[in-house]
Amino acid sequence: LCPLSNSFLPLGSQSLRLCQLFALLAAIWFRTYLHSSKTSSFIRHVVATLLGLYLALFCFGWYALHFLVQSGISYCIMIIIGVENMHNYCFVFALGYLTVCQVTRVYIFDYGQYSADFSGPMMIITQKITSLACEIHDGMFRKDEELTSSQRDLAVRRMPSLLEYLSYNCNFMGILAGPLCSYKDYITFIEGRSYHMTQSGENGKEETQYERTEPSPNTAVIQKLLICGLSLLFHLTVCTTLPVEHNIDEHFQATASWPTKVIYLYISLLAARPKYYFAWTLADAINNAAGFGFRGYDKNGAARWDLISNLRIQQIEMSTSFKMFLDNWNIQTALWLKRVCYERTSFSPTIQTFILSAIWHGVYPGYYLTFLTGVLMTLAARAMRNNFRHYFVEPSQLKLFYDVITWIVTQVAISYTVVPFVLLSIKPSFMFYSSWYYCLHILGILVLLLLPVKKTQRRKNTHENIQLSQSKKFDEGENSLGQNSFSTTNNVCNQNQEIASRHSSLKQ
C-alpha cells in the first residue's frame, strides 16, 4: 500500500545536501550537549524547533513560511473544532493546502524540475498533522474498546502545547527529508524516556518502569553513512548511464528484442533506486545521531535503531511478491496510509489508499498512472498468491523454483508499474505502455476475471458483526439480564475480530 518515493528526495539541490550535512553535525551536538539528562524538555523542544526553521529558511527562503502557515492553521483547527471531528477537518485542510502548493510549483514555476522543491517538506508535515489529529481523536474521543491495538498504543491523551506541536512538525532532524514518526515516539525521545523499560507485575496488571543503560547509536550511524556513500557512488557512476527514458527511445523500441527490453527495464529502474536509498538512509542516520530511533533490543541483546527507518534494502531487492516490495519501501509512509486511511474506511480501502497516496505525492500525471496501475497489480498479485502459492510450499526444491519465478515476475511488474512515476508526463508514459502493448495491464485484468477471488477476512468479519448485532437485538428483547452478559461478550468478540481482520487484510 505504500507509495514509491517522495518527489523531493533526488539529489538535485546543493543547499539541501549541505543542510542535511549540517543537520547530522547538529544531531551529534544535540545528543552530546543537550541530552535529556543534562537539560530540560523545554530547552530541547526550543532548540530542535529553531534549528529546523533555520534550515528550512536557508534551503527554501521565504517559501518556508508555508510550513508555519500550514502547521499554524491546522493547530487552530485542532483547538477550535474539537476532538470529535478535528481529524477530518485537519485532513482536508492539510492535504488541500499541500495540493495547492504542489499545483503552484509544478504548473506555474518549474514543471519537471525537482530542485529546492519546498512542497517536499510539506509532504512530511502533512503526514505529521494528519497522524497527530487522528491520534488525538483516538485518545480523547474514542473508547478504548473501539481501537485496534496499534491505535491504542499511539493514542494521544492530551492536547499538545504549541511548542510541542511545532517541535514535532519542524524539528531539524526531520524537517527536510523526514521520515515520519509518531507524536508519542517523538515526545518520548525529547523527554528522555526512550530507554525506560516496562515490566509487568505478578498479577499481570501492575507495571514498573526501570531504565536500561543507554545504548550508543554510533555503530548504527556509521553503518548507515557507509550505505549512503555506496548509494551515492552508485548513483553518480551507474545511474547516469542507464536512464529510464531510454525505455521509450524510438530506436531502442524498434531494434531491441523482447528479452533486451525486459532486462533493460529492470536494470534502469534498479539503477534509479540508490538516490532514494541515499536520502532516506541519511535522514535515518541524522535522527539516530541525535539519539532518536531506538526500538529496543533484539533476541541477542543487540540495540535496534530502526524505529523510524524508511526502507530495508535487502528485502526490497530480493522481493518475491508485490506485497513484500511495498512492505519494505517507504515504510513510514506506508504506516501513515494504513493509519489515516486504510484502517478508517470501510469501502474499497485498497483503492482509496492508493488514491490518497497519489494525491499526497503531487500533481504529475505519471503519479496517478503509477498508482492506478499499482491497484491492479496489487489485486492481481493477491489473487495469484491466494490461488497458487499453497501448491509450492513443499518440497524445498519446488519452493525454490517458485521463489525464483516470483522474484522475476515481481521485479518486472514493479519496474513496469513505476515507469510513469519517473517519466512524470502523460505522453511518454503512454508511449512506454503502448510499446509494451499494455501486456501487464491486460494480464492483471484477466487474472481478476478468471481466478476466484477469496472473500477477505475484513469482509467476512463485517458480515459476522452484522449477524451478531442482529442476534444481540433479539436477545435484548428476550432477557434484560442476558442482555448485559451477551453485550459484553459481543463487544470483546467484535474488537478481536476487527484487530485480526485488519492485520490479515494488510498482510494480503
Side-chain angles (χ1 to χ4, degrees), residues 4 52 87 125 132 142-143 173 180 232 244 271 324 333 346 356 379 406 408-409 432 436 458 472 483 491 500:
L4 296 161
H87 62 301
I125 293 175
L132 177 58
R142 298 175 67 189
K143 298 178 180 178
M173 298 170 291
L180 171 68
L232 181 61
V244 176
M324 183 178 177
T333 295
S346 57
L356 170 60
L379 297 177
T406 52
I408 295 172
V409 173
F432 168 75
W436 278 61
R458 182 189 182 112
K472 176 184 172 183
Q483 168 193 12
N491 285 340

PDB file of all heavy atoms in Angstrom, residues 4 52 87 125 132 142-143 173 180 232 244 271 324 333 346 356 379 406 408-409 432 436 458 472 483 491 500:
ATOM      1  N   LEU A   4       5.768   5.026  -3.740  1.00  0.00           N
ATOM      2  CA  LEU A   4       7.058   4.603  -4.254  1.00  0.00           C
ATOM      3  C   LEU A   4       8.194   5.506  -3.834  1.00  0.00           C
ATOM      4  O   LEU A   4       9.318   5.083  -3.690  1.00  0.00           O
ATOM      5  CB  LEU A   4       6.977   4.518  -5.775  1.00  0.00           C
ATOM      6  CG  LEU A   4       5.983   3.439  -6.208  1.00  0.00           C
ATOM      7  CD1 LEU A   4       5.565   3.661  -7.631  1.00  0.00           C
ATOM      8  CD2 LEU A   4       6.590   2.068  -6.053  1.00  0.00           C
ATOM      9  N   GLY A  52      15.442  23.673  13.129  1.00  0.00           N
ATOM     10  CA  GLY A  52      14.673  23.208  11.979  1.00  0.00           C
ATOM     11  C   GLY A  52      14.174  24.349  11.113  1.00  0.00           C
ATOM     12  O   GLY A  52      14.264  24.293   9.876  1.00  0.00           O
ATOM     13  N   HIS A  87     -10.009  15.591  13.241  1.00  0.00           N
ATOM     14  CA  HIS A  87      -9.140  14.799  12.363  1.00  0.00           C
ATOM     15  C   HIS A  87      -9.595  14.889  10.918  1.00  0.00           C
ATOM     16  O   HIS A  87      -8.775  14.892  10.003  1.00  0.00           O
ATOM     17  CB  HIS A  87      -9.087  13.342  12.838  1.00  0.00           C
ATOM     18  CG  HIS A  87     -10.391  12.630  12.816  1.00  0.00           C
ATOM     19  ND1 HIS A  87     -11.489  13.057  13.537  1.00  0.00           N
ATOM     20  CD2 HIS A  87     -10.790  11.504  12.153  1.00  0.00           C
ATOM     21  CE1 HIS A  87     -12.503  12.228  13.315  1.00  0.00           C
ATOM     22  NE2 HIS A  87     -12.106  11.289  12.487  1.00  0.00           N
ATOM     23  N   ILE A 125       5.217  17.216   6.712  1.00  0.00           N
ATOM     24  CA  ILE A 125       4.417  17.948   7.692  1.00  0.00           C
ATOM     25  C   ILE A 125       2.949  17.553   7.576  1.00  0.00           C
ATOM     26  O   ILE A 125       2.243  17.422   8.587  1.00  0.00           O
ATOM     27  CB  ILE A 125       4.608  19.461   7.514  1.00  0.00           C
ATOM     28  CG1 ILE A 125       6.046  19.850   7.872  1.00  0.00           C
ATOM     29  CG2 ILE A 125       3.627  20.249   8.376  1.00  0.00           C
ATOM     30  CD1 ILE A 125       6.389  21.303   7.623  1.00  0.00           C
ATOM     31  N   LEU A 132      -1.184  13.096  13.795  1.00  0.00           N
ATOM     32  CA  LEU A 132      -1.419  13.598  15.143  1.00  0.00           C
ATOM     33  C   LEU A 132      -2.902  13.847  15.387  1.00  0.00           C
ATOM     34  O   LEU A 132      -3.426  13.521  16.467  1.00  0.00           O
ATOM     35  CB  LEU A 132      -0.622  14.879  15.365  1.00  0.00           C
ATOM     36  CG  LEU A 132      -0.811  15.569  16.721  1.00  0.00           C
ATOM     37  CD1 LEU A 132      -0.458  14.627  17.862  1.00  0.00           C
ATOM     38  CD2 LEU A 132       0.033  16.842  16.791  1.00  0.00           C
ATOM     39  N   ARG A 142     -12.536   8.609  21.161  1.00  0.00           N
ATOM     40  CA  ARG A 142     -12.989   7.228  21.006  1.00  0.00           C
ATOM     41  C   ARG A 142     -12.723   6.410  22.266  1.00  0.00           C
ATOM     42  O   ARG A 142     -11.816   6.696  23.026  1.00  0.00           O
ATOM     43  CB  ARG A 142     -12.295   6.583  19.802  1.00  0.00           C
ATOM     44  CG  ARG A 142     -12.600   7.250  18.480  1.00  0.00           C
ATOM     45  CD  ARG A 142     -11.790   6.641  17.343  1.00  0.00           C
ATOM     46  NE  ARG A 142     -12.194   5.270  17.070  1.00  0.00           N
ATOM     47  CZ  ARG A 142     -11.526   4.460  16.248  1.00  0.00           C
ATOM     48  NH1 ARG A 142     -10.421   4.888  15.660  1.00  0.00           N
ATOM     49  NH2 ARG A 142     -11.951   3.229  16.048  1.00  0.00           N
ATOM     50  N   LYS A 143     -13.541   5.388  22.463  1.00  0.00           N
ATOM     51  CA  LYS A 143     -13.364   4.488  23.593  1.00  0.00           C
ATOM     52  C   LYS A 143     -12.269   3.472  23.270  1.00  0.00           C
ATOM     53  O   LYS A 143     -12.066   3.110  22.119  1.00  0.00           O
ATOM     54  CB  LYS A 143     -14.674   3.766  23.895  1.00  0.00           C
ATOM     55  CG  LYS A 143     -15.811   4.711  24.295  1.00  0.00           C
ATOM     56  CD  LYS A 143     -17.095   3.939  24.546  1.00  0.00           C
ATOM     57  CE  LYS A 143     -18.237   4.877  24.943  1.00  0.00           C
ATOM     58  NZ  LYS A 143     -19.505   4.142  25.151  1.00  0.00           N
ATOM     59  N   MET A 173      15.808  17.511  12.750  1.00  0.00           N
ATOM     60  CA  MET A 173      16.155  16.155  12.351  1.00  0.00           C
ATOM     61  C   MET A 173      15.315  15.660  11.182  1.00  0.00           C
ATOM     62  O   MET A 173      15.770  14.842  10.390  1.00  0.00           O
ATOM     63  CB  MET A 173      15.986  15.204  13.540  1.00  0.00           C
ATOM     64  CG  MET A 173      16.891  15.537  14.709  1.00  0.00           C
ATOM     65  SD  MET A 173      16.459  14.589  16.180  1.00  0.00           S
ATOM     66  CE  MET A 173      14.867  15.306  16.605  1.00  0.00           C
ATOM     67  N   LEU A 180       8.707  10.267   8.695  1.00  0.00           N
ATOM     68  CA  LEU A 180       7.594  10.414   9.614  1.00  0.00           C
ATOM     69  C   LEU A 180       7.840   9.590  10.872  1.00  0.00           C
ATOM     70  O   LEU A 180       8.405   8.496  10.817  1.00  0.00           O
ATOM     71  CB  LEU A 180       6.306   9.936   8.936  1.00  0.00           C
ATOM     72  CG  LEU A 180       5.064   9.822   9.826  1.00  0.00           C
ATOM     73  CD1 LEU A 180       4.588  11.198  10.276  1.00  0.00           C
ATOM     74  CD2 LEU A 180       3.952   9.077   9.098  1.00  0.00           C
ATOM     75  N   LEU A 232      25.451   6.768  -3.037  1.00  0.00           N
ATOM     76  CA  LEU A 232      25.815   7.976  -3.780  1.00  0.00           C
ATOM     77  C   LEU A 232      26.806   7.645  -4.891  1.00  0.00           C
ATOM     78  O   LEU A 232      26.675   8.144  -6.023  1.00  0.00           O
ATOM     79  CB  LEU A 232      26.416   9.008  -2.819  1.00  0.00           C
ATOM     80  CG  LEU A 232      26.827  10.347  -3.430  1.00  0.00           C
ATOM     81  CD1 LEU A 232      25.631  11.046  -4.047  1.00  0.00           C
ATOM     82  CD2 LEU A 232      27.470  11.230  -2.366  1.00  0.00           C
ATOM     83  N   VAL A 244      16.126   5.886 -17.406  1.00  0.00           N
ATOM     84  CA  VAL A 244      14.815   5.255 -17.602  1.00  0.00           C
ATOM     85  C   VAL A 244      14.203   5.713 -18.921  1.00  0.00           C
ATOM     86  O   VAL A 244      13.478   4.954 -19.587  1.00  0.00           O
ATOM     87  CB  VAL A 244      13.889   5.598 -16.414  1.00  0.00           C
ATOM     88  CG1 VAL A 244      12.488   5.032 -16.640  1.00  0.00           C
ATOM     89  CG2 VAL A 244      14.478   5.061 -15.114  1.00  0.00           C
ATOM     90  N   ALA A 271      18.752   0.915 -11.210  1.00  0.00           N
ATOM     91  CA  ALA A 271      19.738   1.987 -11.109  1.00  0.00           C
ATOM     92  C   ALA A 271      19.140   3.284 -10.598  1.00  0.00           C
ATOM     93  O   ALA A 271      19.876   4.166 -10.124  1.00  0.00           O
ATOM     94  CB  ALA A 271      20.379   2.225 -12.480  1.00  0.00           C
ATOM     95  N   MET A 324       5.673  -7.841  -0.599  1.00  0.00           N
ATOM     96  CA  MET A 324       6.969  -7.808   0.081  1.00  0.00           C
ATOM     97  C   MET A 324       7.754  -6.558  -0.316  1.00  0.00           C
ATOM     98  O   MET A 324       8.393  -5.917   0.527  1.00  0.00           O
ATOM     99  CB  MET A 324       7.775  -9.067  -0.255  1.00  0.00           C
ATOM    100  CG  MET A 324       9.114  -9.160   0.458  1.00  0.00           C
ATOM    101  SD  MET A 324       9.963 -10.711   0.058  1.00  0.00           S
ATOM    102  CE  MET A 324      11.509 -10.495   0.939  1.00  0.00           C
ATOM    103  N   THR A 333       5.730   5.971   5.379  1.00  0.00           N
ATOM    104  CA  THR A 333       4.575   6.458   4.626  1.00  0.00           C
ATOM    105  C   THR A 333       3.524   5.367   4.489  1.00  0.00           C
ATOM    106  O   THR A 333       2.322   5.641   4.518  1.00  0.00           O
ATOM    107  CB  THR A 333       5.022   6.971   3.243  1.00  0.00           C
ATOM    108  OG1 THR A 333       5.860   8.110   3.426  1.00  0.00           O
ATOM    109  CG2 THR A 333       3.829   7.376   2.393  1.00  0.00           C
ATOM    110  N   SER A 346     -14.337   1.947   5.148  1.00  0.00           N
ATOM    111  CA  SER A 346     -14.988   0.642   5.034  1.00  0.00           C
ATOM    112  C   SER A 346     -15.258   0.248   3.588  1.00  0.00           C
ATOM    113  O   SER A 346     -15.591  -0.904   3.313  1.00  0.00           O
ATOM    114  CB  SER A 346     -16.312   0.655   5.810  1.00  0.00           C
ATOM    115  OG  SER A 346     -17.161   1.686   5.336  1.00  0.00           O
ATOM    116  N   LEU A 356      -5.203   8.195  -2.238  1.00  0.00           N
ATOM    117  CA  LEU A 356      -4.612   9.138  -1.292  1.00  0.00           C
ATOM    118  C   LEU A 356      -3.109   9.250  -1.509  1.00  0.00           C
ATOM    119  O   LEU A 356      -2.548  10.347  -1.487  1.00  0.00           O
ATOM    120  CB  LEU A 356      -4.908   8.694   0.143  1.00  0.00           C
ATOM    121  CG  LEU A 356      -4.161   9.460   1.244  1.00  0.00           C
ATOM    122  CD1 LEU A 356      -4.497  10.946   1.193  1.00  0.00           C
ATOM    123  CD2 LEU A 356      -4.475   8.881   2.615  1.00  0.00           C
ATOM    124  N   LEU A 379      -4.001  -6.157  -6.601  1.00  0.00           N
ATOM    125  CA  LEU A 379      -5.140  -7.077  -6.535  1.00  0.00           C
ATOM    126  C   LEU A 379      -4.859  -8.360  -7.310  1.00  0.00           C
ATOM    127  O   LEU A 379      -5.205  -9.463  -6.859  1.00  0.00           O
ATOM    128  CB  LEU A 379      -6.395  -6.390  -7.070  1.00  0.00           C
ATOM    129  CG  LEU A 379      -6.871  -5.156  -6.278  1.00  0.00           C
ATOM    130  CD1 LEU A 379      -8.074  -4.520  -6.962  1.00  0.00           C
ATOM    131  CD2 LEU A 379      -7.212  -5.538  -4.844  1.00  0.00           C
ATOM    132  N   THR A 406       8.724 -16.107  -8.953  1.00  0.00           N
ATOM    133  CA  THR A 406       8.001 -14.952  -8.411  1.00  0.00           C
ATOM    134  C   THR A 406       8.917 -13.742  -8.248  1.00  0.00           C
ATOM    135  O   THR A 406       8.462 -12.600  -8.355  1.00  0.00           O
ATOM    136  CB  THR A 406       7.362 -15.304  -7.060  1.00  0.00           C
ATOM    137  OG1 THR A 406       8.350 -15.866  -6.180  1.00  0.00           O
ATOM    138  CG2 THR A 406       6.231 -16.307  -7.242  1.00  0.00           C
ATOM    139  N   ILE A 408      11.381 -12.933 -10.346  1.00  0.00           N
ATOM    140  CA  ILE A 408      11.469 -12.365 -11.696  1.00  0.00           C
ATOM    141  C   ILE A 408      10.199 -11.602 -12.035  1.00  0.00           C
ATOM    142  O   ILE A 408      10.239 -10.449 -12.497  1.00  0.00           O
ATOM    143  CB  ILE A 408      11.735 -13.472 -12.735  1.00  0.00           C
ATOM    144  CG1 ILE A 408      13.109 -14.107 -12.501  1.00  0.00           C
ATOM    145  CG2 ILE A 408      11.638 -12.916 -14.154  1.00  0.00           C
ATOM    146  CD1 ILE A 408      13.374 -15.327 -13.363  1.00  0.00           C
ATOM    147  N   VAL A 409       9.053 -12.225 -11.792  1.00  0.00           N
ATOM    148  CA  VAL A 409       7.769 -11.589 -12.122  1.00  0.00           C
ATOM    149  C   VAL A 409       7.578 -10.317 -11.304  1.00  0.00           C
ATOM    150  O   VAL A 409       7.139  -9.281 -11.831  1.00  0.00           O
ATOM    151  CB  VAL A 409       6.614 -12.574 -11.883  1.00  0.00           C
ATOM    152  CG1 VAL A 409       5.264 -11.875 -12.050  1.00  0.00           C
ATOM    153  CG2 VAL A 409       6.715 -13.758 -12.837  1.00  0.00           C
ATOM    154  N   PHE A 432       5.435   4.458 -23.356  1.00  0.00           N
ATOM    155  CA  PHE A 432       6.052   3.248 -22.808  1.00  0.00           C
ATOM    156  C   PHE A 432       5.048   2.102 -22.745  1.00  0.00           C
ATOM    157  O   PHE A 432       5.346   0.983 -23.198  1.00  0.00           O
ATOM    158  CB  PHE A 432       6.608   3.528 -21.414  1.00  0.00           C
ATOM    159  CG  PHE A 432       7.007   2.286 -20.677  1.00  0.00           C
ATOM    160  CD1 PHE A 432       8.173   1.608 -21.010  1.00  0.00           C
ATOM    161  CD2 PHE A 432       6.201   1.764 -19.673  1.00  0.00           C
ATOM    162  CE1 PHE A 432       8.539   0.440 -20.355  1.00  0.00           C
ATOM    163  CE2 PHE A 432       6.556   0.603 -19.014  1.00  0.00           C
ATOM    164  CZ  PHE A 432       7.721  -0.059 -19.355  1.00  0.00           C
ATOM    165  N   TRP A 436       4.801  -1.678 -24.871  1.00  0.00           N
ATOM    166  CA  TRP A 436       4.658  -2.996 -24.244  1.00  0.00           C
ATOM    167  C   TRP A 436       3.269  -3.590 -24.484  1.00  0.00           C
ATOM    168  O   TRP A 436       2.932  -4.629 -23.925  1.00  0.00           O
ATOM    169  CB  TRP A 436       4.925  -2.892 -22.739  1.00  0.00           C
ATOM    170  CG  TRP A 436       6.377  -2.916 -22.384  1.00  0.00           C
ATOM    171  CD1 TRP A 436       7.339  -2.029 -22.769  1.00  0.00           C
ATOM    172  CD2 TRP A 436       7.042  -3.895 -21.572  1.00  0.00           C
ATOM    173  NE1 TRP A 436       8.554  -2.367 -22.250  1.00  0.00           N
ATOM    174  CE2 TRP A 436       8.417  -3.518 -21.495  1.00  0.00           C
ATOM    175  CE3 TRP A 436       6.636  -5.032 -20.894  1.00  0.00           C
ATOM    176  CZ2 TRP A 436       9.356  -4.248 -20.791  1.00  0.00           C
ATOM    177  CZ3 TRP A 436       7.575  -5.756 -20.168  1.00  0.00           C
ATOM    178  CH2 TRP A 436       8.909  -5.370 -20.130  1.00  0.00           C
ATOM    179  N   ARG A 458     -11.619  -9.156   6.185  1.00  0.00           N
ATOM    180  CA  ARG A 458     -12.275  -7.910   6.587  1.00  0.00           C
ATOM    181  C   ARG A 458     -13.749  -7.961   6.262  1.00  0.00           C
ATOM    182  O   ARG A 458     -14.605  -7.614   7.069  1.00  0.00           O
ATOM    183  CB  ARG A 458     -11.583  -6.734   5.881  1.00  0.00           C
ATOM    184  CG  ARG A 458     -12.130  -5.353   6.251  1.00  0.00           C
ATOM    185  CD  ARG A 458     -11.512  -4.301   5.322  1.00  0.00           C
ATOM    186  NE  ARG A 458     -11.984  -2.976   5.691  1.00  0.00           N
ATOM    187  CZ  ARG A 458     -11.222  -2.047   6.206  1.00  0.00           C
ATOM    188  NH1 ARG A 458      -9.963  -2.296   6.463  1.00  0.00           N
ATOM    189  NH2 ARG A 458     -11.705  -0.849   6.493  1.00  0.00           N
ATOM    190  N   LYS A 472     -27.924  -9.778  18.902  1.00  0.00           N
ATOM    191  CA  LYS A 472     -27.918  -9.014  20.151  1.00  0.00           C
ATOM    192  C   LYS A 472     -29.250  -8.314  20.365  1.00  0.00           C
ATOM    193  O   LYS A 472     -29.812  -8.331  21.457  1.00  0.00           O
ATOM    194  CB  LYS A 472     -26.780  -7.993  20.109  1.00  0.00           C
ATOM    195  CG  LYS A 472     -26.735  -7.069  21.327  1.00  0.00           C
ATOM    196  CD  LYS A 472     -25.647  -6.043  21.144  1.00  0.00           C
ATOM    197  CE  LYS A 472     -25.734  -5.008  22.250  1.00  0.00           C
ATOM    198  NZ  LYS A 472     -24.748  -3.951  22.086  1.00  0.00           N
ATOM    199  N   GLN A 483     -28.970  -9.785  28.397  1.00  0.00           N
ATOM    200  CA  GLN A 483     -28.507  -8.705  27.508  1.00  0.00           C
ATOM    201  C   GLN A 483     -27.139  -8.185  27.925  1.00  0.00           C
ATOM    202  O   GLN A 483     -26.255  -8.015  27.104  1.00  0.00           O
ATOM    203  CB  GLN A 483     -29.521  -7.558  27.566  1.00  0.00           C
ATOM    204  CG  GLN A 483     -29.017  -6.263  26.922  1.00  0.00           C
ATOM    205  CD  GLN A 483     -29.909  -5.095  27.278  1.00  0.00           C
ATOM    206  OE1 GLN A 483     -30.758  -5.203  28.157  1.00  0.00           O
ATOM    207  NE2 GLN A 483     -29.711  -4.001  26.605  1.00  0.00           N
ATOM    208  N   ASN A 491     -19.009  -7.366  22.403  1.00  0.00           N
ATOM    209  CA  ASN A 491     -18.088  -6.254  22.166  1.00  0.00           C
ATOM    210  C   ASN A 491     -16.653  -6.734  22.115  1.00  0.00           C
ATOM    211  O   ASN A 491     -15.871  -6.323  21.271  1.00  0.00           O
ATOM    212  CB  ASN A 491     -18.238  -5.198  23.268  1.00  0.00           C
ATOM    213  CG  ASN A 491     -19.500  -4.377  23.104  1.00  0.00           C
ATOM    214  OD1 ASN A 491     -20.052  -4.333  22.008  1.00  0.00           O
ATOM    215  ND2 ASN A 491     -19.963  -3.754  24.181  1.00  0.00           N
ATOM    216  N   ALA A 500      -7.910  -8.643  14.209  1.00  0.00           N
ATOM    217  CA  ALA A 500      -7.406  -9.738  13.374  1.00  0.00           C
ATOM    218  C   ALA A 500      -7.664  -9.485  11.907  1.00  0.00           C
ATOM    219  O   ALA A 500      -6.829  -9.763  11.050  1.00  0.00           O
ATOM    220  CB  ALA A 500      -8.065 -11.057  13.793  1.00  0.00           C
TER     221      ALA A 500
END
